[in-house]
Amino acid sequence: MSKKVRNAIIVLIFGNFLVCIGMSLIFPVMPFIKNELHLSATDMGIMNSLFAIAQLVASPIIGQLSDKIGRKPILVSGLLLYMLSEVLFAMTNWLWMFDISRTIGGLSAAMVVPTTNALAADLTTPRQRARIIGLLSAAFSGGLILGPGIGGILAKFDYKTPFWFAAVLGLLSMISLWTMLPNEKEIEKIAANHPVPAQSRPPKRASWTQAKKLFSGPMGLLFLLILISSFGLVGFESIYSLYVNEVFGFTMGNIALVLTLNGVTSLTFQALLFDRLVVWLTEKRLIRYCFLLSFLGTGWIILAHSKLEVIIATLIVFTAYDLIRPAITTLLTKASVTKQGLINGVNMSLTSVGNIVGPIVSGALLDTSYHLPYLVVIVFLFISWVMTYWIRDHFSVNLNSETD
């Protein structure tokens, strides 16, 4: 790998990490925005969902556009929009402007995250590709996990500080991409030397028969668990700071401490212990135990009488959630040697649906009763735990017989 390509990969990883931090910076400051501007929890839920809606709608359009006009212009424009969204959020105190800011943020994520993966594939050899895509995935997860903690720490100065900080990083990242990425002709020349294998290219649109086969077979249960876990995690996380602030009187410092501890703990388990847990327990048992721990931890939060109990229970729930998704994804990748693009596409779509519905439902329920959102989450987690007993240890699905 040449020095130029190596530098390009570094700035791509940083850009991926940065945008994912931007997705989750808002969580620790939500109660203070809500209280200062006299907003409802439903308002906050809709604000969060707009990010996921914009990302879901724009992603396929942006993917086709990047093939036509090139990766670099899309990435630079995406980081420009990211910076704009953060500045807008920091400057305004109007709900409709917050909503516009989050929508722009979702659009920027649609421009940056998939395009970085596509460009990384263009710049790397088949042997290097898996490791680099893995690093980009780790940056994605790391940004989502560490974002709330970083936001909580910075918000101790002022609740708008995290967004100014993110805007400055966005500007630096945009300049780095503009100066360090190869131009389009150079990218095409590099890509021509090691083309992306057919199975790594974006999949064609799935036929109805293929989609039906996915959901009616043993994969259907895993996809349902993905949807439930996404709904539960985002529903839990999106109102967490509101809940603990109003029910237990958590201050900004308390919230920052919890989310920072959670970020470090979850990242440690994902990066250092996940493979060992899979070998020890298998994916099926790991998924089952994590759903059970999430169920018990959420119940503990509702019944807790002290901040310490809430902090411990929170770490259990978040860590379990952060292990469920990679465990399910790993099991899915073993189910079919082909059509990985189709399977991953369905995976991401269901995740997006959970990201959209979770905050809105949880926010509306929180306006009705403080404990109601987590009671609903508990029911879903219990059902999911029971469903894990129907997961097969080993199965395979053949989709090659269907025509695209």
Side-chain angles (χ1 to χ4, degrees):
M1 184 182 294
S2 67
K3 183 178 180 181
K4 194 165 190 176
V5 171
R6 188 180 300 110
N7 290 339
I9 294 298
I10 291 172
V11 295
L12 288 176
I13 291 172
F14 179 71
N16 225 24
F17 178 71
L18 178 66
V19 170
C20 293
I21 283 180
M23 293 182 191
S24 52
L25 274 178
I26 189 175
F27 292 138
V29 303
M30 283 175 58
F32 307 95
I33 294 175
K34 175 179 178 291
N35 294 337
E36 181 168 316
L37 303 180
H38 307 291
L39 303 175
S40 67
T42 303
D43 292 330
M44 306 304 294
I46 293 173
M47 187 192 303
N48 283 324
S49 293
L50 286 171
F51 190 107
I53 292 172
Q55 186 178 13
L56 177 64
V57 172
S59 289
I61 301 172
I62 297 299
Q64 294 180 359
L65 190 60
S66 73
D67 289 334
K68 292 181 179 180
I69 69 173
R71 317 291 191 203
K72 186 173 180 177
I74 295 293
L75 284 171
V76 174
S77 300
L79 285 169
L80 177 62
L81 287 179
Y82 172 85
M83 182 181 66
L84 176 63
S85 71
E86 299 298 330
V87 169
L88 191 60
F89 203 99
M91 290 181 63
T92 189
N93 282 319
W94 296 91
L95 176 60
W96 65 275
M97 292 293 283
F98 286 139
D99 289 342
I100 291 175
S101 167
R102 293 296 286 176
T103 303
I104 294 173
L107 178 59
S108 74
M111 296 175 75
V112 173
V113 176
T115 310
T116 56
N117 289 328
L119 183 53
D122 291 339
L123 295 175
T124 54
T125 65
R127 177 176 293 183
Q128 298 164 342
R129 197 164 290 137
R131 182 172 65 89
I132 299 303
I133 296 298
L135 289 174
L136 286 169
S137 178
F140 182 92
S141 299
L144 291 177
I145 291 171
L146 296 177
I150 294 172
I153 293 172
L154 294 173
K156 292 172 70 175
F157 302 99
D158 181 87
Y159 75 85
K160 294 293 185 75
T161 303
F163 307 102
W164 288 117
F165 176 76
V168 172
L169 289 182
L171 175 62
L172 295 176
S173 182
M174 182 182 68
I175 294 172
S176 298
L177 280 173
W178 181 258
T179 57
M180 297 177 70
L181 283 184
N183 59 44
E184 293 308 312
K185 290 185 178 180
E186 290 177 307
I187 292 172
E188 290 176 5
K189 185 177 179 181
I190 295 171
N193 293 329
H194 37 74
V196 180
Q199 64 268 27
S200 299
R201 294 173 187 153
K204 297 179 181 178
R205 184 180 298 276
S207 68
W208 167 249
T209 307
Q210 284 182 323
K212 184 178 179 181
K213 196 168 185 177
L214 277 178
F215 285 97
S216 62
M219 280 190 183
L221 178 61
L222 294 177
F223 284 132
L224 182 57
L225 289 175
I226 286 172
L227 179 62
I228 293 173
S229 63
S230 298
F231 169 82
L233 173 59
V234 179
F236 182 96
E237 186 176 38
S238 65
I239 64 162
Y240 176 78
S241 56
L242 298 175
Y243 179 82
V244 296
N245 174 256
E246 295 177 5
V247 176
F248 296 100
F250 271 45
T251 64
M252 180 65 75
N254 297 145
I255 295 172
L257 173 64
V258 175
L259 296 179
T260 302
L261 286 174
N262 166 68
V264 173
T265 303
S266 295
L267 208 56
T268 300
F269 269 85
Q270 278 199 0
L272 302 179
L273 301 176
F274 177 73
D275 289 343
R276 297 181 184 182
L277 288 172
V278 168
V279 171
W280 178 38
L281 297 172
T282 73
E283 292 92 344
K284 184 178 80 170
R285 290 191 179 90
L286 180 58
I287 295 167
R288 180 183 302 160
Y289 296 154
C290 285
F291 270 119
L292 178 60
L293 287 172
S294 300
F295 165 74
L296 296 174
T298 306
W300 189 7
I301 290 174
I302 294 175
L303 300 174
H305 293 92
S306 68
K307 289 182 178 180
L308 180 60
E309 289 182 73
V310 175
I311 292 173
I312 295 173
T314 300
L315 293 177
I316 292 173
V317 173
F318 275 124
T319 303
Y321 267 134
D322 289 331
L323 291 174
I324 288 172
R325 278 201 53 78
I328 294 177
T329 301
T330 302
L331 201 55
L332 280 172
T333 60
K334 294 180 178 180
S336 176
V337 295
T338 61
K339 302 296 182 182
Q340 287 298 314
L342 171 62
I343 292 169
N344 288 326
V346 173
N347 186 343
M348 292 302 296
S349 296
L350 291 174
T351 301
S352 296
V353 171
N355 291 346
I356 293 168
V357 176
I360 297 176
V361 172
S362 294
L365 292 174
L366 188 65
D367 284 331
T368 304
S369 169
Y370 287 141
H371 296 300
L372 189 56
Y374 284 172
L375 290 174
V376 171
V377 168
I378 282 177
V379 172
F380 275 95
L381 290 174
F382 179 77
I383 294 172
S384 301
W385 172 62
V386 173
M387 288 169 59
T388 61
Y389 283 90
W390 286 297
I391 298 177
R392 298 185 191 178
D393 286 309
H394 304 285
F395 63 89
S396 61
V397 177
N398 180 17
L399 299 172
N400 289 331
S401 58
E402 310 300 341
T403 56
D404 290 320

